[in-house]
Amino acid sequence: MFQHGTLKNTNMLKKLTLFAILSIGYFMPLRAQVVHKPDELFGTMKKSGLNYAVGELYIDIPQKDYSKLLNDSSLYHEDSDGHMLVKRIAITPEAEAEWKLGEKSFTQDKNYKEARKHYKNVLDVQNDYYPAKIRIGQTYDIEQDYEKAEAAYKQAISKNYVNYQPHLLIAQDYYNERNYEDAVNEIALAAVLNRNDIRTQELMNEIFADARMKYDDWIFSPQYSVFKGQKDKEIKVLSKEGWSGYAMGKAIWNYEPGYAEGQGEKPGITSALEEKECLQNLLYAVNDDSKPKSTDKAILNLQKVQEFKMMDSYIYYDILLRAQPSLVYQLPNNVIKSMKNYVIYAHGGSKPK
């Protein structure tokens, strides 16, 4: 069972920081850019001045450990002409004085009514300081007053939709009340907002099981290797069964002169567009009826979501957010909600609505 955690130390919240827009972008650029089809990629290889030497990979590519790549609950985003500006919440000196008194009452004295009073005082002087709303919700949770706790978490969510904590905590409350539909939706949102958080994954497993859904998670670990060969202009493209199309796409993106730049991307920086082209190339190869069917979970799930046009969500949730979970702050809320639906379907077995 998930236990309520504590918020981050307020020293991390003092300084207001504006983060640069990440080059990877979000779904809107994907629609604007040209996504080359498999036959176009093959045409690029055929015309290339490089020699792509294709072969079989005989070693296993180990899964990466992403468990330490976690998001910061003090961040929020604002839409500025279609670009998401990511900022860190700041606390005023007057509000901080009350916050510290509340933290002492909450963590040391275990006097939750007193703590709640101080957190409300924080909001009286700084009403946008959503961590106080979360703490108020936690005091009610401890007193098992779930209705008031849920109201506080909803207010925190309205202040900062991309903070995973209130989604996680309200999911636990819904679960305690056996409100499985709302619990499923909120825990799926929390999973999108902090992709690698083990606590979220554990609670999602519990909720999905009790909601009679089959929870299934996996780590995208493509079995390929591309590198420069010993011969001049030789590029080695090695892959295991099922991954040949993906490997060839990666070889082009990594080594074909000017290809990434021609697609409007920076070479050496993985983009959503790159992943989409490589995955389409993968599907072209694995959907060939003359070849053996793949048993790789990542490939099977890609084939599964292809029918419901969920590849963009697959790319973000199961590939990009694993390696860089903070990319979620660059996504509009409606895109985050669409990924929530993907999680419920692709990882929970529920049919898309």
Side-chain angles (χ1 to χ4, degrees):
M1 185 67 68
F2 173 76
Q3 299 295 321
H4 294 307
T6 57
L7 293 171
K8 296 207 178 267
N9 190 295
T10 53
N11 288 334
M12 296 180 65
L13 308 178
K14 291 180 180 179
K15 187 176 180 181
L16 181 65
T17 305
L18 180 64
F19 285 76
I21 299 299
L22 299 177
S23 63
I24 203 162
Y26 50 82
F27 294 158
M28 290 174 65
L30 265 181
R31 299 190 183 104
Q33 292 172 304
V34 175
V35 181
H36 289 152
K37 297 178 180 179
D39 58 343
E40 293 175 306
L41 291 181
F42 288 130
T44 296
M45 295 182 78
K46 189 174 181 181
K47 298 175 185 176
S48 176
L50 302 176
N51 174 28
Y52 292 94
V54 178
E56 187 173 351
L57 181 67
Y58 294 102
I59 61 172
D60 291 332
I61 303 297
Q63 290 186 348
K64 294 181 180 179
D65 180 9
Y66 297 107
S67 60
K68 294 182 180 179
L69 298 177
L70 302 172
N71 277 345
D72 187 340
S73 61
S74 67
L75 300 181
Y76 66 98
H77 69 192
E78 293 178 350
D79 193 328
S80 176
D81 296 326
H83 295 283
M84 306 311 294
L85 301 181
V86 185
K87 300 180 180 180
R88 191 183 302 278
I89 187 68
I91 187 169
T92 66
E94 187 179 1
E96 185 177 31
E98 285 294 330
W99 173 265
K100 288 180 177 178
L101 291 172
E103 290 293 87
K104 179 180 181 298
S105 297
F106 186 93
T107 60
Q108 296 179 29
D109 303 336
K110 311 298 182 185
N111 185 338
Y112 304 113
K113 186 176 181 180
E114 181 70 13
R116 194 157 53 237
K117 181 188 76 174
H118 290 297
Y119 295 135
K120 288 180 177 179
N121 289 341
V122 170
L123 294 169
D124 285 341
V125 296
Q126 188 178 345
N127 63 9
D128 66 342
Y129 195 68
Y130 59 83
K133 283 290 184 185
I134 298 174
R135 274 299 203 216
I136 289 171
Q138 288 179 295
T139 65
Y140 283 126
D141 265 337
I142 293 169
E143 296 171 351
Q144 296 187 334
D145 190 338
Y146 299 131
E147 185 177 349
K148 288 183 179 178
E150 290 162 19
Y153 295 142
K154 287 177 181 178
Q155 289 172 350
I157 290 169
S158 70
K159 293 291 185 182
N160 182 9
Y161 187 81
V162 293
N163 181 4
Y164 73 96
Q165 282 194 324
H167 294 285
L168 180 63
L169 294 167
I170 201 171
Q172 177 73 72
D173 285 349
Y174 288 142
Y175 181 46
N176 291 341
E177 298 169 316
R178 292 182 170 80
N179 178 356
Y180 297 125
E181 182 177 357
D182 287 336
V184 163
N185 277 284
E186 290 298 333
I187 196 61
L189 279 169
V192 173
L193 295 170
N194 200 8
R195 178 63 178 96
N196 301 316
D197 183 50
I198 294 174
R199 300 176 307 159
T200 302
Q201 296 296 319
E202 290 174 348
L203 181 57
M204 187 153 61
N205 195 2
E206 288 185 45
I207 291 173
F208 278 23
D210 282 4
R212 297 184 179 181
M213 297 165 64
K214 187 178 179 182
Y215 175 74
D216 187 22
D217 200 16
W218 67 89
I219 293 180
F220 184 81
S221 186
Q223 300 296 301
Y224 80 98
S225 178
V226 296
F227 55 92
K228 290 183 179 180
Q230 294 182 346
K231 297 179 181 178
D232 184 42
K233 296 186 178 181
E234 181 184 55
I235 304 300
K236 291 281 189 179
V237 186
L238 308 180
S239 63
K240 288 199 167 187
E241 186 177 270
W243 289 100
S244 60
Y246 188 85
M248 285 188 282
K250 284 292 182 179
I252 291 173
W253 272 87
N254 280 274
Y255 292 104
E256 188 63 31
Y259 187 84
E261 295 91 332
Q263 288 291 80
E265 302 290 349
K266 294 181 180 179
I269 299 177
T270 302
S271 69
L273 178 62
E274 175 183 341
E275 288 299 332
K276 192 162 193 174
E277 286 196 354
C278 293
L279 289 175
Q280 285 189 164
N281 211 40
L282 180 155
L283 285 169
Y284 179 82
V286 299
N287 289 339
D288 185 345
D289 292 334
S290 67
K291 295 183 180 180
K293 298 300 180 184
S294 174
T295 59
D296 190 293
K297 189 169 288 188
I299 294 176
L300 291 174
N301 279 283
L302 178 63
Q303 291 174 300
K304 174 181 169 183
V305 303
Q306 181 187 25
E307 178 185 353
F308 294 99
K309 304 185 186 303
M310 289 183 167
M311 186 185 287
D312 286 347
S313 291
Y314 180 101
I315 290 169
Y316 274 83
Y317 186 76
D318 281 312
I319 302 177
L320 301 181
L321 290 181
R322 279 284 199 189
Q324 197 172 352
S326 61
L327 286 175
V328 77
Y329 299 125
Q330 302 295 326
L331 305 178
N333 292 349
N334 66 311
V335 172
I336 293 171
K337 290 177 182 177
S338 72
M339 277 199 286
K340 177 260 296 184
N341 295 331
Y342 164 81
V343 172
I344 293 171
Y345 169 61
H347 291 267
S350 177
K351 291 184 179 180
K353 295 180 180 180

